Amino acid sequence: MINEYSPSKNFRFCPKCGSPGFTPDTEKSLKCESCGFRYFINMSASVAAIIRNETNEVLFTIRKHNPAAGMLDLPGGFVDLGETAEEAIVREIHEELNLIISKMEFAGTFTNKYIYGDIEYQTLDLVFDCIVDSFLELKVADDVSGFVFRHPATVSNDEIGLDSIKKIVSRIL
Ligand SMILES: [Zn+2]
């Protein structure tokens, strides 16, 4: 389906030869009328961590930047090129919270549409249940402006910024 933010509208020119004739080919690809280059629209991989404290509250971060600045999120972020999801979650939790993951268990995947700079990116969020050694060194940085420990049942959808995180909180927390 082609909506206002359809990924097929992300490109007006062929990224290979610069021709303006770069148009939807199938619902998940674009093709250049000049050079024949075909671009497949894929989801970006991202990771999110569920980290609980000793009273079973979940560690939510507060988003520093748009989309959804100021709203609750789960710690995590995009998987870098050449990185595994496990490496990405370890890196993100260290960058955002200065915490060291000692154990993780895969918990499921959720889809998300992420609008950034008027461009829609579709992501596949890989969720991990994580245990950290200690919260003593907890310190926010990177694209996080704060954190809060909350019992998931007390968190309403209106407080959460991203659709995939709403699904995670309502379905698996
Ligand atoms: Zn081209």
Side-chain angles (χ1 to χ4, degrees):
M1 189 182 74
I2 298 179
N3 60 36
E4 182 188 358
Y5 290 112
S6 171
S8 67
K9 292 185 175 179
N10 284 359
F11 301 98
R12 289 166 49 213
F13 300 94
C14 172
K16 190 176 178 196
C17 77
S19 161
F22 195 55
T23 53
D25 181 35
T26 69
E27 63 181 15
K28 47 192 170 184
S29 67
L30 296 149
K31 193 176 177 188
C32 176
E33 293 164 8
S34 292
C35 74
F37 173 68
R38 185 177 281 151
Y39 176 76
F40 290 91
I41 303 162
N42 295 312
M43 290 200 284
S44 297
S46 64
V47 289
I50 299 166
I51 303 170
R52 298 173 202 267
N53 66 12
E54 63 284 352
T55 61
N56 219 26
E57 292 172 318
V58 169
L59 175 53
F60 289 91
T61 51
I62 298 167
R63 297 178 61 81
K64 188 189 266 184
H65 303 298
N66 278 321
M71 300 187 80
L72 296 183
D73 201 355
L74 288 173
F78 287 101
V79 178
D80 282 344
L81 293 176
E83 192 176 48
T84 67
E86 290 86 349
E87 289 164 348
I89 199 74
V90 167
R91 176 182 53 74
E92 287 284 349
I93 296 312
H94 187 250
E95 286 174 1
E96 293 185 342
L97 299 166
N98 196 37
L99 296 177
I100 306 294
I101 292 175
S102 54
K103 198 175 169 200
M104 71 175 83
E105 192 171 321
F106 180 63
T109 67
F110 293 82
T111 60
N112 191 32
K113 291 179 180 179
Y114 187 96
I115 311 290
Y116 183 74
D118 286 335
I119 297 286
E120 179 189 275
Y121 299 88
Q122 297 207 11
T123 73
L124 183 65
D125 294 3
L126 299 97
V127 185
F128 291 86
D129 268 309
C130 298
I131 293 173
V132 298
D133 285 337
S134 159
F135 291 109
L136 288 175
E137 302 294 322
L138 203 171
K139 187 175 70 195
V140 299
D142 202 34
D143 49 3
V144 172
S145 65
F147 72 93
V148 63
F149 283 98
R150 296 272 300 272
H151 280 293
T154 70
V155 176
S156 83
N157 263 351
D158 299 342
E159 298 177 87
I160 303 169
L162 303 178
D163 284 346
S164 53
I165 306 299
K166 293 178 188 181
K167 291 180 215 164
I168 293 166
V169 171
S170 64
R171 291 185 199 165
I172 66 175
L173 288 183

